[in-house]
Amino acid sequence: MENYKQFLILFLLALAVGFGSIAFVLTWVLHYREGLGWDGGAAEFNWHPLLMVIGFIFLQGIAIVVYRLPWTWRCSKQMMKFIHAGLHVLAFTLAVISVVAVFDFHNAKNIPNMYSLHSWVGLAAVILYPAQIVMGIAVYLIPATPVYVRAALMPVHVYSGLFIFTSVIATALMGFTEKLIFGLKSPAYKDSPPEAVLVNVLGLLVAAFGGLVLWIATRPSWKRPREEVTQSVSSNSTSPEDFKTDTAATTRTHLDLETRRRNGKAEESG
């Protein structure tokens, strides 16, 4: 892997920011709000921001970059597909529970549902997410799918996954602001009480986590090598340092072969 140290620093930073987001949202609902419960009151609503941050943001982000972790390249591609899909299914399950919690709270308090931009974009993400999961399982997890179909749909799968993740980040930021505007009365949100400052920092952490995940997921040099490359490395390497060295050497060999093939075609056409 090229720039391994840079990757490791950014990944560890993403983990730290992600866990920090979870710690901040827990502090918010437990210290400044009514805690957690399931009785139709404010404590039930608090499951919504907590599970969204844990599932729809943190777990989804980890699922997106899990293929890029070089120490998982020894695992088979099929195993990584199951891990990737499992993380997404778990994230979606937590998201559904959080949506049920907020609808129960609104219905118990006679608050209208689905009137804000936050709810519109959020529901769209919740609907698109299982469609993305089903397409991924049907196309990439089932071995019977033709290779050309997988190759043709891969750009769509990658783009839609990043689009949904970005939409979730934006939805969370809108939700934090909306909750503070309606929830803080005396002192008001504009007066910057401690709760408002904490949630604003939470929003910055969520945005930073999203940015780090998107950066890691879009670097071509950090992409998982082809299956035959990882199998060769796994069988010949015995240490992490050997793993990195052999991966780089094998990748260079494949690039040299590809260059020779293209040069041969150019000579034939000439």
Side-chain angles (χ1 to χ4, degrees), residues 45 74 77 126 159 174 177 180 211 223 237 246 249 260:
F45 173 88
R74 295 177 181 271
K77 189 68 174 292
V126 171
Y159 173 81
M174 287 188 287
T177 303
L180 290 177
K223 187 177 181 180
S237 300
D246 290 348
R260 293 174 186 174

Side-chain angles (χ1 to χ4, degrees), residues 11 27 32 35 40 45 80 141-142 145 169 233 241 255 264:
F11 178 69
T27 303
Y32 290 99
F45 173 88
M80 295 310 301
L141 202 57
I142 299 176
T145 306
I169 297 293
V233 172
E241 194 62 34
L255 290 175

Side-chain angles (χ1 to χ4, degrees), residues 121-226:
V121 179
L123 186 62
V126 171
I127 293 173
L128 290 174
Y129 197 55
Q132 169 82 348
I133 294 174
V134 170
M135 187 190 81
I137 292 175
V139 175
Y140 300 105
L141 202 57
I142 299 176
T145 306
V147 175
Y148 70 89
V149 174
R150 299 183 182 189
L153 291 179
M154 178 55 71
V156 178
H157 183 67
V158 172
Y159 173 81
S160 58
L162 296 179
F163 174 78
I164 292 171
F165 180 68
T166 305
S167 300
V168 170
I169 297 293
T171 304
L173 298 181
M174 287 188 287
F176 295 153
T177 303
E178 181 181 306
K179 182 61 178 178
L180 290 177
I181 290 174
F182 290 123
L184 294 179
K185 300 299 182 182
S186 181
Y189 184 26
K190 63 181 179 63
D191 298 323
S192 297
E195 180 180 355
V197 174
L198 180 133
V199 178
N200 284 347
V201 174
L202 169 62
L204 291 177
L205 291 174
V206 167
F209 177 77
L212 289 168
V213 168
L214 292 175
W215 181 261
I216 294 171
T218 54
R219 297 307 93 196
S221 60
W222 294 344
K223 187 177 181 180
R224 177 187 171 96
R226 293 180 180 179

